[in-house]
Amino acid sequence: MPSSCSIRALWILNSLDAVVLSRKFPVVEKQWRAACKTMNDNSNNTEEDPLKHTVSPFLPNDAELSSAFAERKKREGSLRGYGIRVNNQSVKGSDSWVDDPITRHIISINVESKVEGGENHLLWPLILHLRGSYVILVLPLVEPVHLKAYAKLCRKSDCGNAVGVDASLSSILLDTPSITGAFMVAHAIGDIIVGDVVDPEVVVNAAPSVGGLLDSLTGSIGITGISSRAKPVAAPVASATPSGAASIGTLTADTPKLGSRPLDKDTLRNFISSAMPFGTPLDLNYSNIFAIKANGFSSSDLLPADFKQPAWKPYLFKGKQRILFTINETIHAALYDREEISDTISVSGQINCRAELEGLPDVSLPLPGLNKAHVEVLSFHPCAQVPEHGADKQAVMFSPPLGNFVLVHYQANCGLGPPIKGFYQLSMVSEDEGAFLFKLHLMEGYKAPLTMEFCTVTMPFPGRRVVSFDGTPSVGAVLTTEHSIEWKIIPIGRSLSGKSIEATFPGTVRFAPWQIQRLPFL
């Protein structure tokens, strides 16, 4: 069987476990049938072998898969279909019996075939990805021996096994690299479903950031001196909802998008046909697919004979050579303002890149400060090679595609203190009136040329409607909405640099009378 990733089938289910879109690839299924026949012919299975059915060339229809997935959620003890260990409920042959966190995302389903006399068939590995209100299931092509090994693992008497032994789930997954490609397929389809298909913007300012981690990782290699705003390769989908972009130094909230928008089946079908013809994923970047459909190829895109162009870079660049980096970073902090309880601060972010380079060069990005930055989690774009860490080997090598892309996702402990420190108190004076107090310190410990471009504090009241408020802050202005009060300490356009300031905001807020919502009698 081929070593590259191939997809046998994929399904998209709604919140009612009904299949709203499915796609099967007969070319890949033919390979699976041939592999099953070869294994069954070469094995010495007997009629008493309970695992003989696990390598049958079977693929369920939409109704059979929908019913099997709904039954699996009841059996595994999770409404979302995760394989979570449940006392007195997990049984042999189920994912929760394996008792491994991986079974939350790589699941199996027992399907009862109505055509073949009610015989049960095991589908594994199924990639489970939740996006909005939809469930995405992707079935990659693996060796039949791996499917049989997992079936044996689900029936072991010791409820799974220790990490590192020969018959562990981790060892099986290491031999099935196609699962990684199936995850990328599921995430790409999920982004299209919710309309999140816009490339990350690369916006680099001349001003340095507020303690960005990129400078510490790269050893201040001078990328902050670039001033440019890049344009995406192609126009996004008309129905897409682009996510907000923030320049260096701003704090943004990456809230998940709920799948309230209707499913665009035509867009999904066109993407699947172009991105993975005959079931083999080639290019999962929607911007590239859109550009190919809109512009096609020209004679200038042809490569010399000694070059092999990767599928994820369908267009070549000719012009001025440049490479741009920018960082989008979010600080997560819990500030207690108490000596006996220490504050918790962590940082997560991504390094965006735009490389306009001729040909197919390999770019090396040095990361000399990786050990000092206390990085806990690192993940890289598929075009990047796994970096080698050591005394003199701290760099990432990548062959960048044309356009904007996320090179690195990371999580780390924050070396500096938070740019905002202080405390907030709210006490209810009466049933419909509350008194609040803010005392904040901005940019304490930060010195020029570090800047804070804007700062807004929001007091949300999702369960109450704000009627009025009374209070004047020491700096800034206040705006009210129906369910919140926004304190604009530093408006956009007025940055804070070179000094720290104190800001206080005492006041009272008055709510509409509390109304008890009566539920209809059932």
Side-chain angles (χ1 to χ4, degrees):
M1 297 177 66
S3 58
S4 60
C5 175
S6 297
I7 305 300
R8 293 175 57 191
L10 59 90
W11 298 268
I12 301 176
L13 295 82
N14 58 17
S15 57
L16 301 178
D17 298 331
V19 177
V20 294
L21 183 68
S22 65
R23 179 64 187 270
K24 301 176 182 178
F25 300 95
V27 174
V28 182
E29 193 62 20
K30 185 177 180 181
Q31 300 178 26
W32 170 254
R33 291 178 178 274
C36 291
K37 184 177 184 304
T38 302
M39 181 177 181
N40 292 331
D41 292 343
N42 296 335
S43 62
N44 296 322
N45 288 334
T46 62
E47 294 297 332
E48 291 76 17
D49 185 4
L51 301 177
K52 182 178 179 180
H53 68 279
T54 60
V55 291
S56 62
F58 170 76
L59 200 61
N61 56 37
D62 293 350
E64 292 173 341
L65 183 120
S66 175
S67 176
F69 183 73
E71 182 63 28
R72 180 192 184 277
K73 291 197 300 184
K74 298 178 182 178
R75 183 182 70 250
E76 298 293 348
S78 170
L79 294 177
R80 292 191 168 187
Y82 292 148
I84 302 175
R85 182 76 177 165
V86 180
N87 294 331
N88 301 325
Q89 187 170 343
S90 299
V91 295
K92 287 186 177 181
S94 64
D95 293 331
S96 57
W97 186 260
V98 180
D99 199 14
D100 195 295
I102 301 176
T103 57
R104 292 171 175 258
H105 311 285
I106 304 176
I107 69 172
S108 66
I109 289 181
N110 288 289
V111 183
E112 181 179 353
S113 175
K114 299 180 181 179
V115 180
E116 301 179 8
E119 185 178 358
N120 286 329
H121 301 272
L122 179 66
L123 287 183
W124 183 88
L126 271 172
I127 307 304
L128 172 65
H129 180 54
L130 305 177
R131 198 64 193 273
S133 59
Y134 295 96
V135 176
I136 304 169
L137 299 176
V138 181
L139 179 63
L141 178 66
V142 297
E143 295 281 355
V145 63
H146 297 145
L147 176 60
K148 196 166 187 177
Y150 182 77
K152 291 181 179 179
L153 192 63
C154 292
R155 289 171 171 81
K156 293 190 65 175
S157 59
D158 55 353
C159 304
N161 44 288
V163 177
V165 300
D166 294 337
S168 66
L169 180 58
S170 299
S171 62
I172 298 176
L173 297 180
L174 287 175
D175 295 333
T176 53
S178 60
I179 292 180
T180 303
F183 268 109
M184 296 178 61
V185 171
H187 279 263
I189 293 177
D191 291 342
I192 296 177
I193 289 177
V194 299
D196 191 10
V197 293
V198 180
D199 285 341
E201 286 193 287
V202 179
V203 183
V204 185
N205 294 338
S209 61
V210 183
L213 187 61
L214 182 60
D215 290 339
S216 62
L217 289 178
T218 59
S220 299
I221 60 178
I223 62 176
T224 56
I226 303 174
S227 179
S228 174
R229 183 179 181 91
K231 296 181 179 180
V233 175
V237 189
S239 61
T241 305
S243 57
S247 49
I248 291 182
T250 60
L251 303 179
T252 60
D254 185 15
T255 56
K257 299 181 179 179
L258 299 180
S260 58
R261 62 197 302 271
L263 189 68
D264 192 345
K265 297 183 180 180
D266 291 337
T267 300
L268 284 171
R269 292 191 184 98
N270 292 333
F271 173 78
I272 293 172
S273 300
S274 303
M276 53 181 81
F278 305 105
T280 301
L282 297 179
D283 188 354
L284 297 176
N285 189 317
Y286 188 84
S287 297
N288 291 342
I289 299 299
F290 185 92
I292 294 173
K293 283 183 169 294
N295 305 324
F297 294 96
S298 63
S299 58
S300 61
D301 293 323
L302 298 178
L303 276 177
D306 54 343
F307 281 95
K308 183 179 180 182
Q309 186 172 357
W312 41 262
K313 191 172 185 179
Y315 286 95
L316 298 181
F317 175 78
K318 291 186 178 181
K320 183 179 179 181
Q321 305 279 80
R322 66 174 183 173
I323 184 168
L324 309 177
F325 295 92
T326 184
I327 190 170
N328 189 344
E329 195 166 277
T330 303
I331 298 176
H332 308 270
L335 308 179
Y336 299 97
D337 192 42
R338 297 173 62 180
E339 295 181 356
E340 64 272 17
I341 303 178
S342 59
D343 299 338
T344 59
I345 306 172
S346 63
V347 61
S348 64
Q350 63 187 38
I351 300 176
N352 302 332
C353 177
R354 179 179 179 88
E356 296 177 349
L357 306 174
E358 292 186 354
L360 303 172
D362 288 332
V363 180
S364 178
L365 177 65
L367 303 173
L370 195 60
N371 294 332
K372 298 180 180 179
H374 304 289
V375 177
E376 299 176 347
V377 179
L378 273 177
S379 62
F380 297 89
H381 189 272
C383 72
Q385 301 178 14
V386 178
E388 298 182 8
H389 302 299
D392 55 351
K393 292 183 178 180
Q394 292 183 351
V396 54
M397 183 77 69
F398 62 100
S399 180
L402 182 61
N404 304 337
F405 67 98
V406 180
L407 177 62
V408 180
H409 289 276
Y410 63 86
Q411 293 181 4
N413 294 324
C414 192
L416 294 174
I420 302 175
K421 297 184 67 176
F423 69 89
Y424 159 65
Q425 293 177 343
L426 174 65
S427 60
M428 297 302 295
V429 179
S430 64
E431 185 177 351
D432 300 326
E433 184 177 356
F436 61 86
L437 173 63
F438 277 99
K439 285 189 177 181
L440 303 178
H441 296 269
L442 274 64
M443 299 292 287
E444 185 177 3
Y446 290 81
K447 299 180 181 180
L450 299 178
T451 62
M452 177 177 286
E453 297 180 359
F454 66 90
C455 179
T456 301
V457 175
T458 302
M459 289 180 282
F461 304 103
R464 302 297 299 269
R465 184 169 61 87
V466 178
V467 175
S468 63
F469 87 96
D470 183 17
T472 303
S474 60
V475 294
V478 181
L479 298 176
T480 60
T481 63
E482 187 175 359
H483 295 286
S484 67
I485 297 176
E486 293 185 358
W487 177 21
K488 295 184 179 296
I489 304 177
I490 303 177
I492 298 177
R494 297 183 182 180
S495 60
L496 176 66
S497 176
K499 64 178 181 178
S500 61
I501 66 171
E502 295 184 2
T504 60
F505 183 18
T508 58
V509 57
R510 185 171 287 103
F511 305 105
W514 185 271
Q515 295 180 355
I516 301 177
Q517 297 181 354
R518 298 181 179 273
L519 297 177
F521 177 74
L522 298 179

